[in-house]
Amino acid sequence: DLFTEARGNRGLFGGINSAPPRYFQIFSGNPFLPANIQQLMTANNIASVNVGRIGHSSDVAIGYNSNATEMKSITSGFSLDIDSDGFFNGWVVDGYLQKGFNTSDSAQDDGIRIDRIYLAADAVTDASGKIVCNVTRTSGQYSDCAPFNIFGRGRASAASIDWVTGFDEGIAVNTQGWLPDGRTIPYSYVGDSAKRRIQKLQQEVFEIAANGEIFEGFGAGPISMAVGYDWRQESFVQYIQASQGNPTANILTARPVAGNNTALGIRGVPVADSTNTSEIQFSKVSFAIGSFKVREAFTEFNVPLLKEVPFVQALNANLAARWAAYDGSGDVWSWKIGLDWRITDEVRMRGTVSQDVRAANLGERYDRSGSAGTAIDYLEDPTGAAASTYGINVVTGGNPTVKPEQAKTFTAGVVYQPGWLDGLQLSADWYNVDVQDNINQLGTTTILRNCYLNGDIDACALIVRDGVVSPVRPGTNRISLINDVFVNINSVEAQGIDFEVAYRTDINLFGGGETLNMRYLGSHLQHNTSRNSVGLVTQRDGLYGAPDWNNMLSTTYVRGPFSASLQARYEGKTTQSYNVNVFQAALGRVRYDVAENSIPSQTLLDGSLRYSFEVRGEHTLNTFLTVNNITNEDPLPNLGSLGPDATGNGGQAVGNGVVGSLLGRRYTVGVTVDF
């Protein structure tokens, strides 16, 4: 019943008002009858209104997805035990060869075509009084356009629903799928009623490995060794079947949604949608192709060092190394040195130091998509105010040149199993992980701020300035494109301690034959930071998503076929932003403010009951009842910006989610049968 005035052309699904809103209310009659709205607007001298419309199953929603996947795989392998009098006596050699294919056909049906919804919603009457699309009446274009009634659920006609969700069925299409490096994939298909993404993957793997003893040792036991080699090749191609005959698959230049054009009668289209590269709401996929090969050689040694000497029951070392050569990324080494020291029957120490490697996967290297975005141009206005904000193109996803990330990992721990209490085990492990060349995406806002506010040359390299000349900075082109692709962030470091307490004992509460199992798992994050190429450190420990403490306590009672479990999950309090209420003197304003900067801790309880029946001595019938969030704890608010934000705007009270259980108390009852 409440409408907001908006000056100028307004979009169907919202926008930002440039003038203070003026509200009015309909007090009688059906507010969704166009005649009532027209009379009210005329009486109040209102040229247009901004209408927000949520999809509904009775007319148009956001479509639904279906996926069909077919996988074929063949594996052949062997295992050989060597029985001889030579050096390799007792060795075991294993090898296998595998080839697999996976084809995935994902279809989006009944998705709203944003290249048509604005045209269909702009309904007028022609000379004869018939309701038609304005674009048809004005220019004669889109002669098949069916006017769509957006006021109220289920009021749109079947013809208009078909038009704003329909595809070009039966049309033979020949297109060139755009790739980030400028190449294209030729593709031919016959369109049907859905937008489709067809993905084909292929993998070939060969590995051979051998292990056995190589030396009788130094008195603590024989030294054993493993050695091997593997080769792997992966490739994929992704095809897109879109509407409008898919005339171009270039995600940077294709603009399926026509912009406002008075001569043609096209109006009410938001600028953001007219620069969009997708014709279907909430659907952005692109052509992609890629492949890589990796060759690896590895070896590992298990070396008993000492046994049954003072303060040492057993001391063993584990040494491992792996060489890998990745296409496009070069050679990398990973290795590990580990010690396991059993001091007594009750106390054991353990520790490792290693260099670990992870190469980018196919998606991180090749799967790209494009979209419209917004840039804050700090060269035009160092304060980042709204006047320096404008639309750009954004490429997200794969980067074929991304390097493998490498991590140095240190761990040290102790395990205590006291003889005075059978069934009890306590352990604590400290870890420190320092990842170099971390593979991640920065996001457009971080790219812009790191480049122009922090002097990060790596971030600047992701920004393309070949747009129109700046109206406020002569001689400088505006930003046209930001490559928000996967890149190697300089370093990420995390340090913490993990705890475990486990206890198992037999009890006699209801006649004996009962056991009680209790377990505590705790994790304390001491720090989590990232550092970019110019040394800027960003702290994350204690922030939302990275609490200082995570704890879990569980207990299980078992008596024959019956068991009962109770589990408590605790997540420590977190901070939403470390930049809250930071006053920037040079800009004369607060950079960031939130309604509540902390999210309190929360504990959730889950429980379950299980009972098993023997059926004719051949099968087992298992019944269970599970209750999650037993105490029905409410989710915790995670509030957004209320004060001046990083762009210099006034900010807005926008929630960015809730934390904890979002479903409340819930029950699951089930039965399974073991054959």
Side-chain angles (χ1 to χ4, degrees):
D1 293 3
L2 199 62
F3 292 88
T4 304
E5 175 190 11
R7 303 183 187 278
N9 288 326
R10 305 309 304 156
L12 172 65
F13 296 108
I16 299 175
N17 293 330
S18 59
R22 180 152 55 96
Y23 301 97
F24 61 88
Q25 190 169 10
I26 298 173
F27 294 100
S28 63
N30 187 340
F32 295 114
L33 289 178
N36 289 356
I37 296 174
Q38 181 185 31
Q39 294 169 6
L40 195 57
M41 292 176 64
T42 301
N44 288 271
N45 193 28
I46 297 175
S48 61
V49 292
N50 184 22
V51 179
R53 175 65 157 85
I54 303 299
H56 190 262
S57 58
S58 63
D59 40 54
V60 292
I62 58 173
Y64 62 93
N65 297 328
S66 59
N67 188 77
T69 300
E70 180 182 12
M71 185 184 72
K72 299 178 181 178
S73 179
I74 183 170
T75 303
S76 178
F78 70 91
S79 181
L80 174 64
D81 296 326
I82 299 178
D83 184 10
S84 69
D85 296 329
F87 177 82
F88 293 104
N89 181 46
W91 276 56
V92 177
V93 181
D94 297 290
Y96 76 94
L97 175 66
Q98 183 182 61
K99 189 166 186 176
F101 304 88
N102 185 290
T103 300
S104 176
D105 185 350
S106 301
Q108 182 180 16
D109 293 274
D110 293 340
I112 297 175
R113 289 185 56 166
I114 53 180
D115 62 317
R116 289 184 172 181
I117 187 68
Y118 298 113
L119 305 179
D122 188 7
V124 296
T125 55
D126 62 12
S128 65
K130 179 183 178 182
I131 299 176
V132 297
C133 298
N134 185 60
V135 66
T136 305
R137 183 192 66 171
T138 303
S139 63
Q141 296 197 18
Y142 301 94
S143 58
D144 59 341
C145 178
F148 187 91
N149 185 355
I150 67 170
F151 297 104
R153 295 176 177 176
R155 299 181 61 86
S157 67
S160 65
I161 295 173
D162 288 343
W163 198 75
V164 299
T165 62
F167 265 37
D168 305 320
E169 297 186 56
I171 294 179
V173 178
N174 297 291
T175 190
Q176 294 290 326
W178 178 83
L179 299 175
D181 59 6
R183 294 180 299 147
T184 58
I185 305 175
Y187 184 49
S188 299
Y189 64 94
V190 176
D192 60 15
S193 61
K195 181 175 183 177
R196 295 186 177 276
R197 181 194 68 180
I198 300 172
Q199 192 176 76
K200 298 182 178 182
L201 297 93
Q202 180 174 324
Q203 184 186 70
E204 299 173 6
V205 181
F206 167 74
E207 180 175 293
I208 185 169
N211 67 87
E213 296 179 0
I214 60 172
F215 182 58
E216 63 183 9
F218 310 104
I223 298 175
S224 57
M225 173 187 180
V227 63
Y229 173 85
D230 67 60
W231 172 89
R232 185 173 78 255
Q233 175 176 282
E234 296 183 23
S235 62
F236 86 107
V237 61
Q238 181 170 279
Y239 302 107
I240 307 301
Q241 297 183 7
S243 67
Q244 298 184 339
N246 206 8
T248 175
N250 187 329
I251 60 175
L252 296 182
T253 61
R255 296 291 183 270
V257 182
N260 293 315
N261 188 315
T262 303
L264 297 179
I266 300 175
R267 58 188 183 179
V269 180
V271 174
D273 273 348
S274 64
T275 59
N276 200 349
T277 59
S278 177
E279 79 284 5
I280 301 297
Q281 190 177 27
F282 309 126
S283 174
K284 169 54 65 179
V285 288
S286 62
F287 282 76
I289 190 171
S291 65
F292 74 88
K293 297 177 183 178
V294 58
R295 293 164 290 139
E296 297 179 298
F298 55 89
T299 186
E300 185 172 358
F301 297 88
N302 187 36
V303 184
L305 299 175
L306 296 173
K307 184 178 182 181
E308 302 297 340
V309 298
F311 304 106
V312 178
Q313 278 195 351
L315 179 63
N316 299 316
N318 181 264
L319 312 172
R322 179 181 291 263
W323 164 84
Y326 294 92
D327 277 359
S329 302
D331 298 358
V332 290
W333 281 90
S334 57
W335 49 266
K336 182 185 78 170
I337 301 174
L339 286 176
D340 191 309
W341 175 20
R342 180 172 290 279
I343 303 173
T344 67
D345 288 336
E346 296 183 337
V347 182
R348 180 164 63 95
M349 306 286 289
R350 57 194 179 192
T352 62
V353 56
S354 64
Q355 176 171 288
D356 309 296
V357 175
R358 185 186 79 87
N361 58 38
L362 284 171
E364 292 167 336
R365 298 183 70 179
Y366 299 108
D367 190 11
R368 284 193 176 189
S369 64
S371 63
T374 301
I376 303 171
D377 196 337
Y378 295 100
L379 291 186
E380 290 190 354
D381 185 351
T383 67
S388 64
T389 302
Y390 51 83
I392 58 168
N393 292 317
V394 179
V395 172
T396 60
N399 178 6
T401 64
V402 68
K403 299 183 296 184
E405 59 185 22
Q406 302 185 44
K408 288 287 181 61
T409 302
F410 301 88
T411 67
V414 58
V415 180
Y416 178 50
Q417 295 176 288
W420 49 267
L421 184 57
D422 188 40
L424 176 65
Q425 177 177 302
L426 302 94
S427 67
D429 291 275
W430 170 86
Y431 65 87
N432 182 275
V433 182
D434 187 357
V435 182
Q436 300 294 323
D437 293 326
N438 173 242
I439 300 172
N440 216 322
Q441 289 176 281
L442 295 172
T444 56
T445 300
T446 301
I447 291 172
L448 290 164
R449 294 177 60 187
N450 282 1
C451 174
Y452 297 114
L453 299 184
N454 302 321
D456 187 342
I457 59 174
D458 292 336
C460 293
L462 301 174
I463 301 172
V464 178
R465 279 188 173 273
D466 61 1
V468 299
V469 175
S470 169
V472 298
R473 192 180 176 94
T476 301
N477 291 87
R478 278 190 158 183
I479 298 168
S480 61
L481 175 69
I482 291 181
N483 283 290
D484 185 20
V485 296
F486 284 95
V487 294
N488 295 106
I489 299 175
N490 198 39
S491 67
V492 177
E493 185 178 7
Q495 180 176 296
I497 303 175
D498 293 332
F499 305 91
E500 181 179 5
V501 179
Y503 179 62
R504 182 184 185 279
T505 185
D506 295 328
I507 58 175
N508 188 353
L509 295 178
F510 303 101
E514 305 153 80
T515 60
L516 184 67
N517 298 281
M518 293 182 289
R519 189 184 189 195
Y520 162 75
L521 293 174
S523 179
H524 175 49
L525 181 63
Q526 294 174 306
H527 75 257
N528 185 336
T529 59
S530 63
R531 183 187 301 270
N532 68 9
S533 60
V534 295
L536 180 67
V537 175
T538 300
Q539 183 180 353
R540 279 198 47 79
D541 50 286
L543 283 176
Y544 171 55
D548 292 334
W549 280 98
N550 273 303
N551 298 311
M552 185 186 74
L553 179 63
S554 61
T555 181
T556 302
Y557 167 83
V558 180
R559 186 176 189 271
F562 173 77
S563 67
S565 299
L566 185 66
Q567 176 181 276
R569 294 175 286 135
Y570 169 86
E571 183 171 298
K573 68 176 183 179
T574 56
T575 300
Q576 296 199 69
S577 174
Y578 287 148
N579 293 327
V580 62
N581 293 332
V582 176
F583 182 77
Q584 297 176 307
L587 304 181
R589 61 178 172 82
V590 175
R591 176 181 183 178
Y592 186 74
D593 195 7
V594 293
E596 173 55 57
N597 196 40
S598 64
I599 301 172
S601 61
Q602 188 175 55
T603 301
L604 298 175
L605 292 177
D606 304 322
S608 67
L609 300 173
R610 296 177 180 272
Y611 198 91
S612 299
F613 301 88
E614 292 293 330
V615 181
R616 297 182 180 179
E618 299 178 356
H619 313 303
T620 302
L621 182 70
N622 307 290
T623 61
F624 63 89
L625 166 66
T626 299
V627 184
N628 297 103
N629 192 5
I630 294 175
T631 55
N632 199 28
E633 296 293 324
D634 291 333
L636 302 173
N638 185 6
L639 303 178
S641 169
L642 281 180
D645 58 25
T647 67
N649 297 322
Q652 50 188 328
V654 178
N656 54 350
V658 289
V659 182
S661 175
L662 308 184
L663 301 177
R665 185 189 297 117
R666 55 197 185 276
Y667 307 85
T668 304
V669 178
V671 177
T672 64
V673 180
D674 298 334
F675 293 93

